[in-house]
Amino acid sequence: MTSHFKYLNSFKRRHIGPNPKATEEMLRTLGSSSLEELIAETLPEQIRLTVPVVLPEPVNEQTFLSDLRKLASKNKTFNSFIGLGYYNCVTPPVIQRNIFENPGWYTQYTPYQAEISQGRLEALLNFQTAIMDLTKMEIANASLLDEGTSAAEAMGMLFRIRNKRIKGEVANQFLVSESCFPQTIELIKTRAEPLDIEVIVGDHQAFEFTARTFGAMVQYPAEDGNIHDYQELIQRAHHSNALVVFASDLLSLTLLTPPGELGADVAIGSTQRFGIPLGFGGPHAAYFATHEKFIREAPGRIIGVSVDRYGHPAYRMAIQTREQHIKRDKATSNICTAQALLAIMAGMYAVYHGPEGLKAIAQKIHSLAQLLETELSALGYKQLNPYYFDTLKIQGIGDTELIKKRALTAQMNFRYIDSNTIAITLDETVSIEILNQIIQVFAKDKGQQRLLTSVSLDPLMEPNSLKLPEPLIRRSNYLSHAVFHSYHSESEMMRYIKRLENKDISLTFSMISLGSCTMKLNSATEMLPVTWPEFASIHPFAPSEQVGGYLSMIKTLEESLAKITGFKATSLQPNSGAQGEYAGLMVIRAYHKAHGDNQRNVILIPASAHGTNPASAAMSGMNVIVIKCDDRGNIDVEELREKAVQFRESLAGLMVTYPSTHGVFEEAIREICQIIHENGGLVYMDGANMNAQVGLTNPGTIGADVCHLNLHKTFAIPHGGGGPGVGPICVNEKLAPYLPSHPLVSVGGKTPISAISAAPWGSAGILMIAYAYIQMLGMEGLTDATRYAILNANYLKSRLENHYDLLYVGKRGRVAHEMILDTRPFEKTAGIKVEDIAKRLMDYGFHAPTISFPVPGTMMIEPTESESKEELDRFCEAMIAIREEIRELEEKKADSEDNVLINAPHTAEEIASDSWSHPYSREKAVYPLPFVRAHKFWVSVGRINNSYGDRNLICSCPPVA
Amino acid sequence: MSDIPEEFQYTREHEWIQIDGNKAIIGITDHAQRSLGDIVYIELPEIGDEIDAGDEFGNVESVKAVSSLFMPVSGRVIEVNSELDSQPELVNDDCYDTWIIRIEITNPEDLKSLLDAEEYAEFLLESED
């Protein structure tokens, strides 16, 4: 009774879909007597854990939240005026409640299925338009991981452009102004080294461009707050055939002449201060904008406008041919998951405030800074920046330590540049009261009292009182599109957000069975702490004494993940899976270098690998050798052995996904790892399929040396419609010394590689989600999650295998946690492609599984443990009904040119139209099964014309019709 | 079945070449345009570029794939079909009537390794297996 009560009150009951009764029925259907028997039939015996992983007993949701409250109270929510790319700001509550805290938005997947993603595509197009307008560049992408990464990507792009098809000596010198943020400079160095790019950090005025210099980067305003006029530098750069990257503060661009008008070639930066909480470093969306002529060289997803089947405008992701899933090691970047949710929020911040609102925020900050300068000068301090937007650089201080002590007493953090210099960066949240507190700290230092009373900022809001260089005062307009002028009342804003949300399928509507993506439950309890101020409003460079709660949570999480993967140490720094791969490969590289093996640069990658693998390898300076797979989707062990031996002198390692991307536990995995080790290489395990391992086996036991985890897959962080992600790496003892460091905060191994992400713990602000998931499930619950993921996949297999061909199964006829349906034959038998099935599923209310990965023309289904038997049954009914619709075509009972599949999805507008010319009924089109009638998803557009969109590129908000 | 006109010569990378004295025009075959699908962009070389046989002279992009274009013979680019900038779909519409670049042949020896229509048809059949 007690144990039953415990189950009823457990988080496991909420997280795992099938209840005990359903479990029995499902096992019966697939012919196993118990869950344990099913697992034994699925997982090779030799890789099963012999010693179970031990984690603390699980706690229920209420206990977890009250425990976490105590932990949160160890974080001190001081006012941080540290700047350096991270600022306090106000998340408009209408955005916080309706997007940030709304599963309708945060449980969406990347918008590959554009017809059911029009809401977030529009929101991302708003983001791109805002970036283009504020920077005055011709194109912008839909976000990158952070400002530092964006800077590194910009350098990489300019390097490619300059050296494209150049025979002979490459131009490999990149100048970085010392005015850039320290973490940005560090990330540029990290990226440059394996690509043989020489980075020169120095004074931008003294830069000497040579024939070898391909680019330069400056910060605007500079890291210390000063505003330089870089026009002369740009001229000199262009004169030497070099291009210039501007790292710019987006908010300051409402007042400052934008990079595009100054002649910049790339503009990058963070959009954090557009309403995104600090979150101890992330997640935040970085932006990347450049000339249109560089669009095919640009990294990241770009949203474009096309037309649908009816000729109506519709949004989609444009020119994906640049990206890793198509171009692999030749891709423009390894980026896959970006920061979609945060980009959507930043775009909405611009929509909500409009151009006048944004400018008023910027002017207020600028005026407060001027007021502070006046007061501090009156007190006898020296302010060094001749021009500034929001940051003062102060000298003339008696004792910095004393000021620091006073500031801490007043619960404030400044930036202490050296023993005689303090920088203070003001932000949107600063009021006259807060300004007074700052002034008090400095006044006391001079033994004075000074208080501003009911000061009016109005005189300072006049354009003629700007402390900006005259030639750099912005004259041009921005955000003129109607979307930035229409939703300034909360009612309008709320409805606009809801209208967009309703166009998209998220987990709030139905299961999203994307193979390799693990779209499991992101529970409300896991999500709640993300917006608690104790976690949300902490600056990444706040003193360690103020972040005890974070540090304790991070330590526990790092240790838990290391135990779960069978490894020694964890780095939480990488903020996506691809970034984890890159970090892991850089760690492998550092290990070889430390052992005198500089020549080890060959990486073996199976043909079936995710595109990010070869793309990350290329970024780490590795040469990719592709290994064939057999017709069961397994690595060709003999070819692997041959290549490992052939390259034994230069072998860096192997990248392998387990279970394989084909959803099979390869029997030979141990042997594979051994072959690599025997030939001097290390094994990198891609954690995309970790949801089939947790608690049953682990990368350490299997024989890998390093793995990454996708916390946004396996550990319950939501996908956010294409990010945020968290991609930590876990490593064994050999590799632990090389875990990445950070220039400003002590993290990483003893002989670390340089930083991979701008913030020390990457996207720290969402780590509580994974932490909650582990704390509330405990090891037994986590293992059950794996068992049920395998059960659900095998149940789908039993229900679908008589209707569809399965591409690969394991030795004993089982699949792991996902499976591939072979839909290729239908092209010949019925003229139906996998896309037609994907689009038709929308009429049934489902998001399609992964299509055309890892095998073109097929469909990969991963149900996850969180789906109930009822939901799985609805999905199966839809798939079986679609198979019957295909059969009608095979048997010539339906029109090959005009049928429910090739016309899918069907909009309400078409169904309601007076002219219905199709040979099938309206009912068949939109209510093909009874359950659909009770729970219908209406697509907002018809099938989108992809080639039209790529031939007629439009990547900003289209004019309002 | 792919269309393979008799009057052209071919490469194993699915380019066709029509030779006229020491000059030639180059395009992609019906097989190539079919496997790519709707072509959305063609990256062209600069006039004056000298490119060796077998080296890349550009790229053809569809919505889902990118294919490199390879020089059938060594040569100097003397003209590019700039109509393709705005209408890349011309290659889908009629791939043999739509040349991509015109070159001056710099090494006539390279001509020996080209396939004739019959050989190319055989090559296609073999690679289907």
Side-chain angles (χ1 to χ4, degrees):
Chain A
M1 193 61 203
T2 345
S3 87
H4 187 59
F5 177 74
K6 216 171 153 187
Y7 167 72
L8 289 178
N9 193 27
S10 71
F11 177 63
K12 189 167 96 176
R13 181 182 174 211
R14 311 299 176 189
H15 178 74
I16 291 174
N19 60 29
K21 185 167 162 282
T23 306
E24 277 176 33
E25 288 170 24
M26 291 163 75
L27 284 167
R28 212 173 306 132
T29 305
L30 55 86
S32 264
S33 64
S34 68
L35 254 183
E36 199 32 59
E37 186 187 300
L38 172 68
I39 300 305
E41 290 163 354
T42 308
L43 232 80
E45 180 61 30
Q46 69 270 25
I47 61 161
R48 289 289 295 271
L49 293 183
T50 45
V51 182
V53 174
V54 181
L55 291 177
E57 284 296 302
V59 293
N60 67 30
E61 292 169 80
Q62 295 69 38
T63 311
F64 171 77
L65 286 174
S66 83
D67 289 352
L68 192 68
R69 280 271 174 218
K70 287 178 211 145
L71 202 61
S73 70
K74 294 182 182 155
N75 291 335
K76 304 288 174 234
T77 54
F78 284 16
N79 257 319
S80 287
F81 305 109
I82 300 170
L84 290 173
Y86 302 94
Y87 313 92
N88 299 306
C89 60
V90 178
T91 308
V94 63
I95 294 176
Q96 175 173 333
R97 172 154 293 200
N98 294 291
I99 299 179
F100 201 33
E101 299 178 332
N102 178 356
W105 282 91
Y106 64 67
T107 68
Q108 299 168 354
Y109 189 68
T110 306
Y112 284 112
Q113 295 294 336
E115 292 83 356
I116 47 172
S117 313
Q118 291 295 299
R120 62 191 180 279
L121 286 164
E122 178 169 330
L124 289 169
L125 202 65
N126 292 344
F127 173 82
Q128 288 179 185
T129 305
I131 301 300
M132 287 158 59
D133 273 11
L134 287 164
T135 61
K136 276 284 182 277
M137 301 300 294
E138 290 167 340
I139 58 151
N141 74 10
S143 81
L144 293 176
L145 296 170
D146 56 38
E147 179 161 349
T149 312
S150 199
E153 293 283 7
M155 174 188 68
M157 183 182 87
L158 297 188
F159 182 58
R160 274 197 308 279
I161 289 173
R162 172 67 176 269
N163 294 303
K164 214 176 180 183
R165 285 199 215 137
I166 284 203
K167 289 172 188 164
E169 204 186 350
V170 293
N172 70 339
Q173 201 177 58
F174 190 67
L175 303 171
V176 180
S177 166
E178 59 201 5
S179 72
C180 294
F181 294 141
Q183 69 274 18
T184 301
I185 296 176
E186 187 83 351
L187 261 68
I188 284 182
K189 287 182 178 166
T190 306
R191 184 74 64 96
E193 196 258 340
L195 303 176
D196 283 328
I197 295 174
E198 181 194 355
V199 176
I200 296 173
V201 181
D203 175 2
H204 67 268
Q205 277 157 350
F207 276 173
E208 289 284 349
F209 289 89
T210 71
R212 281 183 49 229
T213 317
F214 67 89
M217 173 155 160
V218 293
Q219 185 107 31
Y220 180 67
E223 57 92 33
D224 63 358
N226 197 1
I227 298 171
H228 304 287
D229 187 344
Y230 296 114
Q231 289 180 88
E232 189 261 347
L233 175 90
I234 292 174
Q235 277 175 9
R236 284 196 292 130
H238 287 174
H239 191 71
S240 322
N241 206 12
L243 301 175
V244 178
V245 183
F246 259 57
S248 324
D249 176 317
L250 208 54
L251 190 60
S252 75
L253 298 184
T254 59
L255 304 179
L256 285 169
T257 306
E261 289 173 11
L262 297 172
D265 301 289
V266 187
I268 62 106
S270 169
T271 63
Q272 181 266 322
R273 71 192 312 179
F274 274 36
I276 315 300
L278 288 166
F280 200 34
H284 311 136
Y287 70 86
F288 185 103
T290 186
H291 306 304
E292 190 168 3
K293 64 181 177 192
F294 294 157
I295 195 166
R296 283 189 158 72
E297 297 294 335
R301 295 167 179 146
I302 298 175
I303 311 306
V305 185
S306 185
V307 292
D308 73 357
R309 191 161 63 88
Y310 313 107
H312 301 320
Y315 310 116
R316 56 184 284 281
M317 293 198 283
I319 40 176
Q320 293 183 40
T321 41
R322 299 164 296 117
E323 296 186 52
Q324 42 74 28
H325 61 277
I326 292 176
K327 255 194 178 163
R328 305 181 75 87
D329 58 325
K330 303 273 188 319
T332 56
S333 165
N334 70 337
I335 190 166
C336 181
T337 287
Q339 300 282 19
L341 187 71
L342 300 314
I344 287 167
M345 288 172 65
M348 286 297 184
Y349 182 91
V351 167
Y352 185 57
H353 287 297
E356 299 86 6
L358 287 182
K359 190 169 182 177
I361 292 168
Q363 284 220 328
K364 183 191 120 179
I365 295 170
H366 186 55
S367 304
L368 287 166
Q370 289 177 68
L371 204 54
L372 184 60
E373 181 185 25
T374 311
E375 292 300 309
L376 295 183
S377 302
L379 285 166
Y381 293 96
K382 202 173 157 205
Q383 200 289 114
L384 301 187
N385 286 334
Y387 300 107
Y388 55 80
F389 164 57
D390 61 358
T391 301
L392 304 180
K393 194 172 172 184
I394 300 146
Q395 284 191 345
I397 301 149
D399 185 350
T400 313
E401 281 306 311
L402 209 60
I403 294 252
K404 188 173 180 178
K405 224 171 131 188
R406 289 212 169 94
L408 289 173
T409 310
Q411 307 207 330
M412 290 189 291
N413 296 318
F414 303 142
R415 178 179 170 208
Y416 304 97
I417 296 179
D418 55 45
S419 60
N420 191 33
T421 321
I422 294 177
I424 298 177
T425 301
L426 301 184
D427 60 67
E428 185 189 1
T429 65
V430 176
S431 58
I432 293 293
E433 290 70 34
I434 293 174
L435 204 68
N436 262 327
Q437 291 170 15
I438 300 175
I439 294 165
Q440 286 316 307
V441 168
F442 285 89
K444 273 189 195 155
D445 197 51
K446 300 277 181 189
Q448 295 184 35
Q449 277 283 347
R450 206 175 167 92
L451 208 58
L452 298 167
T453 47
S454 66
V455 178
S456 168
L457 286 176
D458 288 350
L460 288 166
M461 299 288 267
E462 295 301 315
N464 56 6
S465 64
L466 295 171
K467 281 284 260 187
L468 311 174
E470 177 61 27
L472 297 181
I473 293 174
R474 181 165 189 148
R475 317 274 170 206
S476 56
N477 288 334
Y478 46 87
L479 306 183
S480 53
H481 191 274
V483 75
F484 302 108
H485 296 265
S486 307
Y487 308 109
H488 300 160
S489 78
E490 182 163 331
S491 296
E492 288 292 346
M493 188 68 189
M494 172 179 73
R495 288 174 196 147
Y496 179 55
I497 293 172
K498 183 57 77 176
R499 206 153 68 228
L500 295 188
E501 178 193 337
N502 286 344
K503 294 181 179 191
D504 293 12
I505 287 190
S506 70
L507 286 176
T508 61
F509 191 87
S510 54
M511 69 186 277
I512 300 180
S513 58
L514 284 158
S516 186
C517 303
T518 317
M519 298 291 286
K520 64 171 66 178
L521 170 75
N522 320 113
S523 84
T525 299
E526 290 155 359
M527 295 301 294
L528 282 176
V530 172
T531 48
W532 290 359
E534 295 91 334
F535 290 115
S537 61
I538 308 288
H539 194 283
F541 309 143
S544 57
E545 307 81 58
Q546 292 171 22
V547 294
Y550 257 121
L551 295 181
S552 159
M553 186 265 297
I554 283 170
K555 185 163 180 282
T556 308
L557 182 60
E558 284 177 349
E559 287 170 1
S560 305
L561 296 176
K563 280 185 191 168
I564 289 167
T565 53
F567 282 135
K568 168 85 178 161
T570 304
S571 168
L572 290 166
Q573 198 174 95
N575 41 17
S576 74
Q579 221 50 349
E581 295 171 19
Y582 173 57
L585 291 171
M586 293 295 282
V587 162
I588 288 179
R589 196 165 172 273
Y591 172 87
H592 287 314
K593 283 200 156 189
H595 289 76
D597 288 332
N598 289 344
Q599 81 293 355
R600 291 202 175 273
N601 66 352
V602 168
I603 192 98
L604 307 183
I605 300 182
S608 60
H610 193 259
T612 50
N613 285 187
S616 300
M619 265 167 53
S620 327
M622 305 261 187
N623 294 327
V624 176
I625 301 287
V626 178
I627 304 294
K628 281 202 304 260
C629 290
D630 70 13
D631 53 8
R632 296 172 81 87
N634 294 334
I635 293 175
D636 182 331
V637 179
E638 281 326 300
E639 193 188 57
L640 178 92
R641 192 189 309 277
E642 203 178 287
K643 290 286 195 292
V645 171
Q646 183 188 341
F647 293 102
R648 66 178 309 151
E649 296 307 316
S650 55
L651 186 66
L654 163 80
M655 293 185 90
V656 59
T657 305
Y658 199 76
S660 73
T661 52
H662 296 71
V664 179
F665 285 103
E666 282 172 78
E667 302 277 338
I669 188 69
R670 276 248 164 102
E671 189 188 350
I672 288 170
C673 294
Q674 206 182 338
I675 293 171
I676 297 302
H677 287 148
E678 281 168 6
N679 290 287
L682 296 175
V683 177
Y684 180 93
M685 192 164 279
D686 183 313
N689 289 345
M690 199 60 201
N691 212 41
Q693 285 194 34
V694 177
L696 300 177
T697 180
N698 61 40
T701 302
I702 293 167
D705 300 283
V706 43
C707 72
H708 86 260
L709 299 169
N710 298 90
L711 297 191
H712 52 290
K713 294 179 182 174
T714 318
F715 293 90
I717 292 179
H719 281 67
V726 178
I729 54 170
C730 300
V731 295
N732 62 16
E733 205 145 14
K734 270 194 236 175
L735 295 178
Y738 308 102
L739 288 178
S741 60
H742 190 275
L744 300 173
V745 178
S746 166
V747 292
K750 288 200 178 77
T751 49
I753 59 166
S754 50
I756 294 291
S757 299
W761 291 277
S763 294
I766 52 173
L767 293 176
M768 293 78 76
I769 304 166
Y771 174 78
Y773 177 76
I774 294 171
Q775 298 295 309
M776 295 193 297
L777 280 179
M779 204 56 234
E780 190 51 32
L782 289 171
T783 313
D784 268 340
T786 312
R787 294 187 183 109
Y788 275 87
I790 292 171
L791 172 70
N792 279 1
N794 281 284
Y795 177 71
L796 283 187
K797 171 183 171 282
S798 327
R799 287 218 52 193
L800 294 176
E801 66 190 342
N802 293 331
H803 304 274
Y804 292 90
D805 290 339
L806 250 68
L807 207 50
Y808 305 112
V809 290
K811 230 161 76 178
R812 281 149 293 189
R814 299 296 183 195
V815 295
H817 66 309
E818 61 188 4
M819 83 195 87
I820 301 175
L821 300 189
D822 191 356
T823 45
R824 291 172 299 186
F826 302 138
E827 188 160 2
K828 279 202 175 121
T829 62
I832 291 303
K833 294 183 178 162
V834 68
E835 286 84 8
D836 299 315
I837 302 174
K839 303 305 173 192
R840 182 59 176 156
L841 271 168
M842 296 171 185
D843 284 333
Y844 287 81
F846 286 105
H847 191 295
T850 297
I851 59 170
S852 289
F853 175 81
V855 182
T858 65
M859 191 168 248
M860 181 158 66
I861 309 174
E862 178 184 2
T864 86
E865 70 276 14
S866 298
E867 298 306 334
S868 67
K869 177 172 179 293
E870 292 71 23
E871 181 71 357
L872 298 175
D873 283 337
R874 276 188 290 272
F875 178 74
C876 289
E877 282 170 43
M879 287 299 291
I880 293 166
I882 290 174
R883 180 64 188 91
E884 290 312 310
E885 292 169 356
I886 296 171
R887 205 179 311 283
E888 287 170 13
L889 284 161
E890 290 171 333
E891 294 170 357
K892 311 269 184 263
K893 288 178 187 158
D895 188 334
S896 63
E897 303 292 317
D898 188 355
N899 58 66
V900 283
L901 282 142
I902 63 171
N903 293 336
H906 297 82
T907 61
E909 194 179 326
E910 182 177 17
I911 295 301
S913 148
D914 287 337
S915 56
W916 176 262
S917 57
H918 302 302
Y920 50 91
S921 72
R922 289 175 159 103
E923 185 177 19
K924 181 168 180 167
V926 296
Y927 291 136
L929 283 172
F931 78 78
V932 184
R933 205 175 279 274
H935 192 48
K936 174 70 186 170
F937 185 87
W938 290 103
V939 290
S940 59
V941 296
R943 181 91 62 105
I944 292 172
N945 184 334
N946 283 315
S947 37
Y948 179 90
D950 275 357
R951 282 174 183 163
N952 305 278
L953 276 174
I954 302 172
C955 301
S956 61
C957 297
V960 179
Chain B
M1 190 56 211
S2 273
D3 181 17
I4 308 174
E6 291 288 327
E7 60 270 34
F8 297 144
Q9 286 176 285
Y10 299 89
T11 68
R12 289 181 172 79
E13 279 82 31
H14 311 288
E15 287 89 16
W16 58 256
I17 176 166
Q18 188 178 34
I19 294 149
D20 180 12
N22 68 340
K23 301 208 170 77
I25 49 173
I26 296 166
I28 64 168
T29 66
D30 189 37
H31 172 86
Q33 72 83 16
R34 269 179 211 237
S35 16
L36 277 162
D38 286 350
I39 292 169
V40 298
Y41 178 72
I42 301 178
E43 191 189 303
L44 301 165
E46 306 268 328
I47 291 169
D49 283 358
E50 286 200 36
I51 307 168
D52 292 340
D55 281 2
E56 211 180 290
F57 74 81
N59 281 299
V60 193
E61 262 185 54
S62 67
V63 174
K64 286 179 187 156
V66 192
S67 258
S68 297
L69 295 167
F70 298 101
M71 282 293 262
V73 297
S74 302
R76 184 176 20 257
V77 180
I78 52 175
E79 206 181 337
V80 296
N81 186 350
S82 46
E83 257 189 325
L84 297 175
D85 279 341
S86 55
Q87 290 173 281
E89 61 271 26
L90 290 175
V91 174
N92 291 122
D93 298 345
D94 189 343
C95 64
Y96 294 111
D97 202 32
T98 311
W99 56 272
I100 296 173
I101 57 170
R102 188 185 295 277
I103 62 162
E104 197 176 280
I105 299 166
T106 50
N107 184 14
E109 278 295 296
D110 295 339
L111 296 172
K112 289 182 188 157
S113 53
L114 296 172
L115 309 177
D116 65 20
E118 198 179 324
E119 287 166 331
Y120 179 63
E122 250 170 58
F123 168 74
L124 282 187
L125 272 179
E126 278 166 26
S127 40
E128 254 175 42
D129 296 336

